[in-house]
Structure formats: structure tokens, C-alpha cells
Amino acid sequence: MAEKTILTVDLYDNVLTEKANDFTGKVSITGTIHNSDIAERIVKARTEYRPETILNILGMADDIKIEAIAEGKSVVDGVGQWLLNFSGPLEGESPIFNSDVHRFGVTFTPGKALLKALKLLVPGFRKAKTGPVINGFTDSTTKSVSQVLTPNAPGIISGAGLLLKGDDPSVGVYFTPDGADQTPVKVNLIVSNTTSQIIIQIPALPDGQYLLSITTQAGAGYSLVKEPRTYQYPILLSVGSQPGGGEDDRPVIE
């Protein structure tokens, strides 16, 4: 019998209901894995191929899949199926495309192997500390959600418990470059701030991928807590076009 895997699920107060003792669960993300990490895992599984060779093949496979999806093909791999979709209101039988309201996206359906792996997961519930929760990030320039960062332009962070409060110097909004031992970049300009939304000016970030985080001392009912609390949004946000070879291997899922 296959071994079960226990993953931590943090319990947060359900902001959509006033019912007492009602929570929503968020999986505690354990890290980020790239094609380079996949190549290393394949090598550890005993193969005669070098990591560089595997990484090159994975990158080429990514490029071919992207090309095929953009051609309108249905792409099926060992993880699942990828299909283009189209969103936005259309008027009449000869509608006019408007990039402000119309867009192509990607639908992902998990495959049998992934669904089987999900059945082996067991939640380990824990009550989350009162603190910020990020539910999404909207780039005001491109209108993209949880995908793109436009430097020196507005961005909207949505969630709960987002009030930036407290005298600790760590309180604020940060963008940390993806990778080990990277220095976070603190946001200098907060345009507006409520418990459910923060509007910022995105710093002048160089091309790359970043993790968004918020640190605050705000507690329940606008109170202050002694120790600052941080929430890191697990989805990587990208500045600029990513280089080929699988460096940006995060699919946009709708």
C-alpha cells in the first residue's frame, strides 16, 4: 500500500461568514521547484545523463509545449492536460476584440497520476496565527492576476488582515527575488491600505521572478501584537520576459 503524505493546512477565519468557529484552509506551501531541481532529482534516481543534459531536454520540452498550446493544440503530459480558453463578453456575431476585456487563458486538468498522488495526501490542520493573508495580486498596467509585475507602476494586493500597522522596522510589503539567500526589496510607496487591500507602487525591480510578502503587527480588531507576523504569497510573480530553457516553468492556471 502506498505511503500517505501529511501536509500542513493552516486554518484562517472565514471572512465570508459571521458564523463562529468557521474557517477556511490554505495549504502551507513547502517550497518552489524548478526544472533544475527536477534534473537533480532525476540524477539522484540513478541515470547516466548529466544534470545539464536533462535540464536542456526539459527546457526544450517546455518550449514545444508552449508553442503547441499557443497553436490551439490540446497538450497532454504526465501531469495533466492543457487547453486554451477565451474570456470576456462578446456582442453580436462579428464581435470586435478588445484587449482590455478579452483575453486568452489556459485551463489545466490534472491527469490520472496526479489525481492518484492527491488521494495519498492527508491534511494536518493547525490554527493559523492572526495575521495577514494574501489572496491575489493584480498588476494594474497589464490587468493580469498573480502573474506579472510592472516596475514603477501600481499594483493591488487583496486578502485579509492586510493593515500595515506597528513600529517595528520590518512592517511593510516586500518583493524577494526567487532563489537562495536573496535580499528582499521593500516597497517605498503605499498608495492606500485597508484590512482587505493594499495599493502599492511596484519598485524598480530588474527582470526575474519574485515572491510577494507582507509583514505587520496588526491583530484582530485593529489591535497590535508584540511580534510582527509575515505572510508570503506562494505564487511567483514575473518581471520582464523570462529566458528560454525552462527558467520560467510556472504555468498560468485559470
Side-chain angles (χ1 to χ4, degrees):
M1 184 175 180
E3 184 179 350
K4 298 283 187 177
T5 300
I6 299 176
L7 288 181
T8 300
V9 176
D10 291 321
L11 301 177
Y12 291 91
D13 290 324
N14 190 347
V15 297
L16 299 178
T17 177
E18 297 181 359
K19 182 180 177 182
N21 208 34
D22 190 15
F23 301 98
T24 59
K26 288 183 177 290
V27 175
S28 179
I29 302 301
T30 59
T32 302
I33 185 170
H34 297 277
N35 274 353
S36 57
D37 304 301
I38 295 173
E40 290 293 342
R41 290 192 180 193
I42 293 175
V43 170
K44 288 181 180 179
R46 297 183 182 178
T47 174
E48 67 274 18
Y49 297 108
R50 294 173 54 84
E52 296 82 3
T53 302
I54 300 170
L55 180 59
N56 185 50
I57 294 173
L58 291 173
M60 289 191 296
D62 287 343
D63 292 340
I64 291 171
K65 291 176 185 178
I66 291 170
E67 181 182 18
I69 292 171
E71 292 172 350
K73 301 275 194 312
S74 165
V75 173
V76 179
D77 58 16
V79 181
Q81 181 185 25
W82 309 83
L83 286 169
L84 280 178
N85 62 46
F86 184 84
S87 62
L90 300 169
E91 184 176 347
E93 296 182 359
S94 300
I96 298 175
F97 176 75
N98 182 346
S99 60
D100 291 332
V101 295
H102 300 134
R103 57 176 299 216
F104 287 98
V106 177
T107 299
F108 172 74
T109 303
K112 291 183 178 180
L114 179 55
L115 290 173
K116 182 178 179 180
L118 295 179
K119 291 181 180 179
L120 297 176
L121 299 180
V122 177
F125 295 112
R126 70 179 178 188
K127 180 67 169 67
K129 294 180 179 179
T130 302
V133 180
I134 301 173
N135 292 329
F137 177 85
T138 301
D139 184 76
S140 297
T141 303
T142 62
K143 309 301 181 185
S144 68
V145 178
S146 300
Q147 298 176 41
V148 176
L149 294 170
T150 302
N152 299 313
I156 303 172
I157 304 166
S158 58
L162 300 182
L163 193 65
L164 299 175
K165 193 175 182 181
D167 297 326
D168 193 284
S170 66
V171 172
V173 179
Y174 297 85
F175 290 99
T176 304
D178 183 39
D181 302 321
Q182 296 292 327
T183 302
V185 179
K186 190 173 185 178
V187 173
N188 291 323
L189 178 58
I190 306 295
V191 179
S192 68
N193 181 203
T194 66
T195 58
S196 61
Q197 185 183 87
I198 304 176
I199 300 178
I200 63 170
Q201 177 176 301
I202 302 168
L205 301 171
D207 286 6
Q209 292 185 297
Y210 296 83
L211 287 167
L212 167 66
S213 64
I214 292 176
T215 299
T216 182
Q217 289 178 268
Y222 297 92
S223 62
L224 278 177
V225 295
K226 185 177 180 180
E227 298 294 331
R229 291 170 178 172
T230 299
Y231 183 89
Q232 187 175 76
Y233 193 45
I235 298 178
L236 286 169
L237 307 173
S238 299
V239 175
S241 58
Q242 300 301 309
E247 289 298 317
D248 182 7
D249 50 14
R250 173 179 62 84
V252 177
I253 301 173
E254 293 191 341

